[in-house]
Amino acid sequence: MIFVSVGMMNIAFHRLLSKMNELAPSLDEEVVMQVGFSDEHYPNVRYQKFFDADEMKSLYDSASVIVCHAGVGTILNGLERNIPVVMVPRKADLKEVSTDHQFMIADQIEAMGRGIKVIDVENLKDAISKAKAMTLDPYVESRTLVNYLSDVFSEIESSKK
């Protein structure tokens, strides 16, 4: 099962969700999406706005690949389970988020060899195929990653002042 999550942000992420709905019939497994604040209809996938904590755990545990918005919570769930993550960072210029910090996070996860960053959703199907072919060593929590994320969020906080 491919699990798609757009997190808890109160801005819909139609660019990712619409592309995954379009791709779903051509993928070899079920697609389940957590669509957040989207009011669109996605007929090719199983979806709901939000899942409770137990449902989320079950979805993460069952996923072969996680496709997400480059949010830290979703990525960490993939890392902890040794599941490759395909990250489509939300873009500030498209009003999907207020800063482009998700690009920095996606770059770091990709550099670790734990996921694939996708800028143009037209490349999403290829990225999912590549992610499925990844062989991941067991994840060991990285102090480097924790420090990096802390620095990114400190930088974001500073830029708001």
Side-chain angles (χ1 to χ4, degrees):
M1 179 264 298
I2 298 170
F3 181 51
V4 180
S5 175
V6 297
M8 303 295 288
M9 182 171 273
N10 63 356
I11 300 169
F13 196 13
H14 298 297
R15 184 167 57 93
L16 171 58
L17 298 171
S18 296
K19 182 49 102 174
M20 284 303 302
N21 182 65
E22 176 188 318
L23 291 175
S26 68
L27 299 172
D28 293 334
E29 55 189 308
E30 179 185 25
V31 175
V32 178
M33 300 194 315
Q34 176 265 316
V35 301
F37 289 89
S38 174
D39 289 325
E40 299 297 316
H41 179 62
Y42 304 102
N44 298 323
V45 302
R46 180 165 62 99
Y47 71 96
Q48 65 186 58
K49 289 185 175 289
F50 298 99
F51 295 95
D52 68 32
D54 289 337
E55 291 171 312
M56 286 294 282
K57 181 183 179 324
S58 177
L59 289 166
Y60 284 127
D61 289 344
S62 300
S64 63
V65 173
I66 296 171
V67 178
C68 68
H69 63 129
V72 175
T74 305
I75 291 170
L76 289 176
N77 273 286
L79 292 177
E80 291 169 356
R81 291 170 171 81
N82 289 316
I83 300 170
V85 182
V86 175
M87 301 159 290
V88 181
R90 290 176 182 254
K91 296 181 178 182
D93 66 339
L94 296 178
K95 307 287 189 239
E96 296 169 339
V97 70
S98 58
T99 69
D100 282 327
H101 68 279
Q102 290 188 0
F103 283 87
M104 295 181 284
I105 294 166
D107 287 341
Q108 182 70 21
I109 301 305
E110 190 171 56
M112 292 170 60
R114 312 291 302 181
I116 299 169
K117 178 178 71 174
V118 175
I119 305 300
D120 181 348
V121 295
E122 294 306 315
N123 299 321
L124 196 51
K125 185 173 183 179
D126 184 50
I128 291 169
S129 293
K130 287 178 182 173
K132 284 182 176 186
M134 291 175 83
T135 302
L136 302 178
D137 291 329
Y139 177 68
V140 176
E141 185 175 303
S142 166
R143 199 68 227 154
T144 303
L145 178 60
V146 171
N147 290 340
Y148 177 81
L149 292 173
S150 178
D151 290 346
V152 167
F153 290 117
S154 292
E155 186 178 313
I156 293 167
E157 258 328 287
S158 296
S159 71
K160 291 180 180 178
K161 295 178 182 178

